[in-house]
Each structure stands twice: as structure tokens, then as C-alpha cells.
Amino acid sequence: AQTVTQSQPEMSVQEAETVTLSCTYDTSENNYYLFWYKQPPSRQMILVIRQEAYKQQNATENRFSVNFQKAAKSFSLKISDSQLGDTAMYFCASRISNTGNQFYFGTGTSLTVIP
Amino acid sequence: DAGVTQSPTHLIKTRGQQVTLRCSPKSGHDTVSWYQQALGQGPQFIFQYYEEEERQRGNFPDRFSGHQFPNYSSELNVNALLLGDSALYLCASSLVNRMYEQYFGPGTRLTVT
């Protein structure tokens, strides 16, 4: 099994500023995917960004980017130019590529963007 | 293009009762996974269905069962409800050969009293 740990239960950031959410994971596998999902109050889980473990280049999606440190098993999410709509729960998740079908989720970080 | 839909939105049941939750996958998807998300926690994998069979199961008792229909829609059944079954139940769909792209539905909030 894999474990995903998010050590920041709550965070806040001023609008237009940058914030980084932390995530660490534990796996003995070499091939896996890492994800950040956003869950706003509407409850629907939305994929923010995905990283394949075999890729050294950090994934980016517009204002969202990750810092993937494979040796340290760290996968942080950076949100630039924070917007009010970024207020949500953020979940870090992992999936083993070749054996497992399930996603393993962390406990989430509640992010509030302050106007 | 319809996304993942779930019904009902909310449900209140009494301890010991049985409940059925429903999920329609995103158009074109053939695989459905179910997750339980307790309050303040991340989603926990219950099981996954493909070709009308359960492919993989998480650490949940046999009280939790499911079904997938020929049109790829799915049901989650929970028997002998316990207070601890109160949670948000999420359905996610994907293509079997693109499992890293998983789309979630809005969930069903189940309250057991």
C-alpha cells in the first residue's frame, strides 16, 4: 500500500500572492503517478495537475506547478497569483502505474484565499 | 459531453437499513471506482468495476457491494448500515487503458442516524 501525507491541515494566502502546499508519499515502486485534486464547497473533485514519476521535469498547468523531488518522495503544489476561486480543499494523491487501480489520497489541506 | 453524475445528492437512513447509490460515468468511459470520504478525511477506495466485474477492492467489509451494468453505469450497495458509514460517497470514472485520468462525480452525502 502507499501512504500520502499532507501535514498542513489549513492554509491561507492573500489574493494575488503565491502559496505552496506540501505533500509527501511513501512507495517502494518506481512507476507511479502523483496528483493534486481540488475539492471546492460544491464537493466535486477536480484534477489540478498530474505528474508521472518517470518524468524529471516538473508539471505545470497555468498558475499551478509542482516541485517533484523523487528521492525525497516530496510533491508540493505551488499556486501563483492566487484567486478567490482557488479557495478549496486540496488533496494530494498517488497511483501505482502497473499494479494498482486505486488512488491513495492524503487528508487534505484547506486553502483560503483572502481578498 | 456529460460528466460523471451521481444520485441521489443526499440520503438519510437509519442504522441497520440498506442503501443503493447510483453513478453514471463520463461519456465514453468504461471503468467506475467508488470512494468513501468521511468528514475531514481524504477519499478511501472501496472498489472498482470494469466489464461488469469487480477488479479490485479496498479494505471494506462485505456489507459494501457493487454492480456495473452493460451501459457502464454502476451501483454501490451498503447493507446493515452503521453510524460510521455516514460519509460522502464519490464515484469516479475512467478508461481502462488511461487509469491515470480519473474524473469524479459530485458525490452522494449519506447520513446514518
Side-chain angles (χ1 to χ4, degrees):
Chain A
Q2 298 195 87
T3 58
V4 178
T5 303
Q6 295 179 250
S7 58
Q8 305 156 313
E10 296 182 359
M11 294 192 71
S12 62
V13 62
Q14 290 291 139
E15 193 174 7
E17 296 295 309
T18 295
V19 64
T20 298
L21 279 56
S22 301
C23 172
T24 59
Y25 59 94
D26 185 19
T27 180
S28 57
E29 301 291 332
N30 280 322
N31 298 318
Y32 51 90
Y33 289 88
L34 296 168
F35 308 84
W36 279 98
Y37 278 89
K38 169 185 176 181
Q39 189 177 41
S42 65
R43 307 185 319 203
Q44 188 136 14
M45 198 84 73
I46 302 164
L47 177 65
V48 175
I49 199 164
R50 179 181 72 231
Q51 174 82 41
E52 292 93 330
Y54 67 87
K55 289 186 177 179
Q56 292 186 338
Q57 186 173 6
N58 289 325
T60 62
E61 287 287 341
N62 300 314
R63 298 183 296 107
F64 300 88
S65 62
V66 298
N67 183 6
F68 175 45
Q69 301 290 325
K70 191 171 184 178
K73 296 182 180 177
S74 170
F75 183 62
S76 61
L77 173 70
K78 185 172 81 171
I79 306 175
S80 304
D81 185 26
S82 297
Q83 301 176 0
L84 297 180
D86 295 333
T87 293
M89 281 291 291
Y90 286 81
F91 291 95
C92 179
S94 69
R95 177 187 172 264
I96 300 171
S97 301
N98 56 353
T99 59
N101 299 309
Q102 64 177 299
F103 282 49
Y104 296 88
F105 286 84
T107 52
T109 296
S110 177
L111 176 66
T112 301
V113 179
I114 303 168
Chain B
D1 181 17
V4 180
T5 60
Q6 292 185 243
S7 63
T9 305
H10 296 89
L11 203 51
I12 300 175
K13 289 288 188 178
T14 302
R15 190 171 47 186
Q17 287 187 317
Q18 178 265 345
V19 68
T20 298
L21 311 181
R22 296 176 176 81
C23 170
S24 291
K26 180 178 168 63
S27 179
H29 283 185
D30 54 13
T31 303
V32 173
S33 301
W34 287 92
Y35 292 82
Q36 180 195 66
Q37 186 178 12
L39 196 62
Q41 300 295 316
Q44 299 288 317
F45 176 78
I46 302 174
F47 43 53
Q48 184 184 84
Y49 277 84
Y50 170 67
E51 291 189 336
E52 303 180 46
E53 291 192 358
E54 183 182 293
R55 294 183 79 197
Q56 188 172 359
R57 188 179 185 91
N59 189 26
F60 280 81
D62 292 344
R63 298 187 297 109
F64 289 77
S65 63
H67 188 76
Q68 186 180 34
F69 298 93
N71 67 352
Y72 307 116
S73 67
S74 177
E75 288 182 349
L76 164 65
N77 300 292
V78 186
N79 294 322
L81 284 167
L82 303 174
L83 296 179
D85 295 331
S86 295
L88 179 67
Y89 288 84
L90 296 170
C91 169
S93 74
S94 54
L95 280 168
V96 69
N97 59 352
R98 295 176 70 87
M99 289 299 303
Y100 51 83
E101 290 185 350
Q102 190 165 230
Y103 293 81
F104 284 83
T108 293
R109 172 73 66 190
L110 172 65
T111 301
V112 182
T113 62

